[in-house]
Amino acid sequence: MRGQMERLYPICRSITGDGVRQTLGIIAESVPLRCVGVASGTEAHDWTVNDEWNVRDAYIADTSGRRVVDFGEHTLHLVSYSVPVRARMTLDELRPHLHTLPDHPDWIPYRTTYYHRTWGFCLTQRRLDELDDGPYDVVVDSTLEPGELTYGELVIPGDSEEEVLLSAHLCHPSLANDNLSGIAVATELARTLAAMPRRRWTYRLLFAPGTIGSITWLARNPQAASKVRHGLVLTGLGGPGPLVYKRTRHADRAVDRAAVHVVTRHGGEVRDYSPYGYDERQYNSLGFDLAVGRLTRTPHGEYPEYHTSADDLDYVKDDELLAAYAAAVEILDVLENDAAYTNLSPYGEPQLGKRGLYPTMGGKSASDVVMAMLWTLAYSDGTTTLLEVADRAHLGFAAIRDAAERLEGAGLLARAEDPDPAGPGSAGTAPE
Amino acid sequence: MRGQMERLYPICRSITGDGVRQTLGIIAESVPLRCVGVASGTEAHDWTVNDEWNVRDAYIADTSGRRVVDFGEHTLHLVSYSVPVRARMTLDELRPHLHTLPDHPDWIPYRTTYYHRTWGFCLTQRRLDELDDGPYDVVVDSTLEPGELTYGELVIPGDSEEEVLLSAHLCHPSLANDNLSGIAVATELARTLAAMPRRRWTYRLLFAPGTIGSITWLARNPQAASKVRHGLVLTGLGGPGPLVYKRTRHADRAVDRAAVHVVTRHGGEVRDYSPYGYDERQYNSLGFDLAVGRLTRTPHGEYPEYHTSADDLDYVKDDELLAAYAAAVEILDVLENDAAYTNLSPYGEPQLGKRGLYPTMGGKSASDVVMAMLWTLAYSDGTTTLLEVADRAHLGFAAIRDAAERLEGAGLLARAEDPDPAGPGSAGTAPE
Amino acid sequence: MRGQMERLYPICRSITGDGVRQTLGIIAESVPLRCVGVASGTEAHDWTVNDEWNVRDAYIADTSGRRVVDFGEHTLHLVSYSVPVRARMTLDELRPHLHTLPDHPDWIPYRTTYYHRTWGFCLTQRRLDELDDGPYDVVVDSTLEPGELTYGELVIPGDSEEEVLLSAHLCHPSLANDNLSGIAVATELARTLAAMPRRRWTYRLLFAPGTIGSITWLARNPQAASKVRHGLVLTGLGGPGPLVYKRTRHADRAVDRAAVHVVTRHGGEVRDYSPYGYDERQYNSLGFDLAVGRLTRTPHGEYPEYHTSADDLDYVKDDELLAAYAAAVEILDVLENDAAYTNLSPYGEPQLGKRGLYPTMGGKSASDVVMAMLWTLAYSDGTTTLLEVADRAHLGFAAIRDAAERLEGAGLLARAEDPDPAGPGSAGTAPE
């Protein structure tokens, strides 16, 4: 994951353009991604695909030609979607186009102007304070012309046609937590899922620009969207905070129950849905109503480095990414394996001892392994799922899943028929 | 409100009598109150309207004629509904008829004997301690004879015939918080409501003696009672405590949701229903089952000055009354304006920017105004009301109401048909 | 209760054998217990009744004949269900058969080997440390042969054929809290119930060995089991902790509501069901699904003395047993008397004063007796039960029950028809 992030970091990404295509190309080295281009001007529900934006060069130079702000130095120096400019201006004339962070004088802010044709530069407050009155040569050598919006998707088939959507936005330039971390974890999850011999669900990985990208995908893929039973937006998975799971709008979908179980046991936080954030806004919108939660470590707006040059490769530590990846794997393990079972020996406790499942010497307290079996037997009524058992037992899902396997092996438990062909995990997750 | 309270304070009110009529007369100077007299002896469900009580004079005098306890000095000196007496008694003979507060030796208690024919005097402990053995001349020059019980009501019509009941008891003599404060706030609310160009609901203001007054009104007005969809008892709105809202018996009626939202945001407290207190006892009784909550600042029995001469005009501060009035106005604003809306652009977020509703420069956090719009769009499914959106968003109702207006203006939102002709606010509030 | 415990303490009990029969004989001196023997080898669902185990003698002696571990000294010295042995062994050969508690060097542990044919001795760590290398003569003069499992039961008939099951396990040897305390309290409850002139429910007291005993009873008495509407396992009722009520698997049965009300008011704790503990495991198993909770003071495994010789007669204090007995009586009082009532004067409050139920002098706060009547009137809608009223009012069940009697006497309240012939207390408690 680190290597991919280091390669992706210097690229100037935005919601369209060459940087997006380069990024998808690097992801495609790891997994067989399909890239899709959608022409500028295409209608997507209430939105229209923007013109494509590319930058050859951009700078502010003093009259001696010395560049005092240079896009070549850092992609954040240029406001994203800045229109072409070539002018000589005094500092006072420039000021309305300059963005700084006075409270963090060494950081460059991240600003965009996707839907309003203007231009601007972002720089450190310290750099701004050093500038004299000018004049300056201001050059934005960009193009903003009909082209395409590009996204990448990968479908990993499973036993069911119903899908788990894993979505990461890829429109941010040189910002590591937001969202190279999400791209790296999503890529690694794709490799893990593809390597599994068999999957219950079909998995769809989507790497797309934020907002307009997910809306465009939703608009063009109504059939695929209607098959999404569970989903996660993967974003901001580095940084020092605990894991944070943001619920779906309905709060109690299968993915919510799975993620709450896992994230809570990892010491993380669970938050209610709010209509601000990343592409969960689009997936959860009333018209689509997809059960897509969001897994984050350090959420947007809650760390000072957010949307600044300080969200760099040093901000994201390897162990943070690994922990986020591990939590995502555990959530998918619940989605893959949660099911209701039926206790085949329900009249009193079955005698575990005669099956070698109980200690022979009595009088001492029960082990965790025995307790997991007792909980599973006590609640496996053909309706209660293993995750529900785990939550009641205050045990991890894996412990209960192992107990169920052991009991199934001993002929004491049988998997219940799924009441819904989509599997019990999908109960209540279909769009309404 | 202060001026009205100062005029009402010296009047000797009880559950019947001239003081009640004088009080209604003073209220009627502000709002077109209709006064209703109900003859003594009239049956009202399990109760019977009392004889009317009036006092010309009442005192205890020593043999020199010096009045040591004098009703003319303070209305609390005489136990309410004391029967006529003219006797010479020693202090020991008098003692069973004297009431003091040993813990508050300078305060006169408030006592009543509405339904048991006896008499008594209330005085400060300090005064009692100064008395010698007597004898004393005791005079209660009262009448307790067939007459009438009087209440005042005012109906302010609205678009719906269904009603909001605002009720304040007016039977207490010279006690300011209990309940000149409620009378003053109710009067001011009546003026405010009458001045509105249009109202969703019909409003009924009721100024009546406690218990027997509300029961008599309920008994005589079954038709009007059946139209009450929401209501508030207004009482004890001064004093230093926070606002306190007491829920209806069902706890979750529309008025409860509105009042909990407002009072909580004002830093107030919410309490469950209990069958003790003021006229909410009668409105919420099983037979009527009206959705009437209670707005209070310092509730009965929870301040030492309660039902003593220390509950005087100094106890109630102007800013306390104003804050209580403001909270009541906000509660009525919710009842007037809460409704469900339908998001007309539900597939992903609508593009607010192209409608001038979103900041043009991206990268920064959203403002409260934008957040209020996003919350309203995210939940306006034609069923969820604006108050529910506000509660989820942890924003004030007014902010969400404003957002809904702005979105409606932009063609993104439409008011949903009321599922019930009484309006969505009434869901579940009809008597069962 | 103390006297019975002192007589029972020295007896060597196990899941079968003479000790069980002697114990039942002592209980039968207080209440007319019926003893039932079930032959070894009898199938009981997934289990088979064990061979019967009896011990004549058991010891470890040095070569001089001095007994260094002697079953005659303490019943815990022998692992329960040890097979016969007669051998000379060195200490090293003996060690795998010796059990101690290194952390509590003066305590003898309690160990069993019901379902695995082996043998062993339990001793204090201090005694073990004193032993030289041996050799030792090891004698277990026990029999483990076809015989019977014995339990005792007592049925106290009531107006309904539906039953309350009170169950105490009697398989533990010289251990006082676990479970002479439960046996003593159950015996005392049986005497109390039998002395009542009339009972709403039929009561069944069951004194049986743990696990195999309750499963055997359930297997042989499907008809009786199907009549159990409420139940309590009585165990561990001494010790210094607070009362602990463990809920039924469904958590919200009538017995749960009754016990939560009582135990909470006694300052005790309420815990969720878990499939570990005593015979509630069997009663609550999916196949039987009986609404049997568990009343405990100091639960298994939560005190260091648990399953050691330190759980002796000194560990259990008289006042602890009395408090547990009193709580059980209160729980049964709720089960006996909880019912829904109908307010016959529901239009406003009835005038309590004219019936002598209200103080004649007004102005002061209401007494608890008046409040209990007001709560009962406010909620007696023919569906809400007295226990629900008590919980809302934060008053004890007895106070509300008394208020209901007073109001019924005044003609203001009538008992509602039971919607279910089994009585409202049984709602939702039938096996599914």
Side-chain angles (χ1 to χ4, degrees), chain C residues 33 56 78 87 109 124 152 178 191 228 231 255 267 384 387 405:
Chain C
L33 205 63
R56 269 183 299 267
L78 184 61
T124 67
D178 184 7
R191 289 161 52 102
V228 172
V255 68
T384 304
L387 180 62
E405 274 175 29

Coordinates of all heavy atoms in Angstrom, one line a residue, chain C residues 33 56 78 87 109 124 152 178 191 228 231 255 267 384 387 405:
Chain C
L33 N -42.6 -33.4 50.5 CA -41.8 -33.6 49.3 C -42.1 -35.0 48.8 O -42.2 -36.0 49.5 CB -40.3 -33.5 49.6 CG -39.4 -33.1 48.5 CD1 -39.7 -31.7 48.0 CD2 -38.0 -33.1 49.0
R56 N -17.8 -45.2 50.5 CA -17.7 -45.7 51.9 C -16.5 -45.0 52.6 O -16.6 -44.5 53.7 CB -17.5 -47.2 51.9 CG -18.8 -48.0 52.0 CD -18.6 -49.4 52.1 NE -17.9 -50.0 50.9 CZ -18.5 -50.5 49.8 NH1 -19.8 -50.5 49.8 NH2 -17.8 -50.9 48.8
L78 N -12.4 -35.6 48.0 CA -12.5 -36.6 47.0 C -13.2 -36.0 45.7 O -14.2 -35.3 45.9 CB -13.3 -37.8 47.4 CG -13.4 -39.0 46.4 CD1 -12.1 -39.6 46.1 CD2 -14.4 -40.1 47.0
A87 N -4.2 -48.5 45.7 CA -2.8 -48.6 45.1 C -1.8 -48.0 46.0 O -2.1 -47.2 46.9 CB -2.8 -47.9 43.7
P109 N -10.2 -27.3 46.8 CA -11.1 -27.0 45.7 C -12.1 -28.1 45.6 O -12.0 -29.2 46.2 CB -10.1 -27.1 44.5 CG -9.0 -27.9 44.9 CD -8.8 -27.7 46.4
T124 N -5.5 -28.9 50.3 CA -5.0 -27.6 50.3 C -3.6 -27.6 49.8 O -2.9 -28.7 49.8 CB -4.9 -27.1 51.8 OG1 -4.0 -27.8 52.5 CG2 -6.3 -27.1 52.4
G152 N -36.5 -34.5 44.2 CA -37.8 -34.3 45.0 C -38.6 -33.2 44.4 O -38.1 -32.2 44.0
D178 N -23.4 -22.4 47.7 CA -23.7 -23.2 46.4 C -23.9 -24.6 46.8 O -22.9 -25.4 46.6 CB -22.6 -22.9 45.4 CG -22.8 -23.5 44.1 OD1 -23.9 -24.1 43.8 OD2 -21.9 -23.5 43.3
R191 N -43.0 -23.6 52.5 CA -43.8 -23.5 53.7 C -44.7 -22.2 53.7 O -45.9 -22.3 54.0 CB -42.9 -23.4 55.0 CG -42.2 -24.7 55.3 CD -41.0 -24.4 56.2 NE -41.3 -23.7 57.4 CZ -41.5 -24.2 58.6 NH1 -41.3 -25.5 58.8 NH2 -41.8 -23.5 59.6
V228 N -45.6 -24.5 32.9 CA -44.8 -23.5 33.6 C -44.9 -22.2 32.9 O -44.5 -22.0 31.7 CB -43.3 -24.0 33.7 CG1 -42.5 -22.8 34.2 CG2 -43.2 -25.2 34.5
G231 N -40.9 -18.9 36.5 CA -40.1 -19.7 37.3 C -38.8 -18.9 37.8 O -38.4 -17.9 37.2
V255 N -42.0 -12.8 34.8 CA -41.1 -13.0 35.9 C -40.0 -12.0 35.9 O -39.5 -11.5 36.9 CB -40.7 -14.4 36.0 CG1 -39.7 -14.8 34.9 CG2 -40.0 -14.7 37.4
G267 N -31.9 -2.6 45.8 CA -30.6 -2.2 45.6 C -29.7 -3.2 44.8 O -28.5 -3.2 44.8
T384 N -53.1 -1.6 31.2 CA -51.9 -1.4 32.0 C -52.0 -2.1 33.4 O -53.0 -1.9 34.0 CB -51.7 0.1 32.2 OG1 -51.7 0.8 30.9 CG2 -50.4 0.5 33.0
L387 N -48.2 -3.5 38.1 CA -46.7 -3.4 38.1 C -46.3 -2.3 37.2 O -45.3 -1.6 37.5 CB -46.2 -4.8 37.7 CG -44.6 -4.8 37.7 CD1 -44.1 -4.6 39.1 CD2 -44.2 -6.2 37.2
E405 N -56.6 -1.5 45.9 CA -57.6 -2.1 46.9 C -58.5 -1.0 47.5 O -59.7 -1.1 47.5 CB -57.0 -2.8 48.0 CG -56.6 -4.3 47.7 CD -55.9 -4.9 48.8 OE1 -56.0 -4.5 50.0 OE2 -55.1 -5.8 48.5

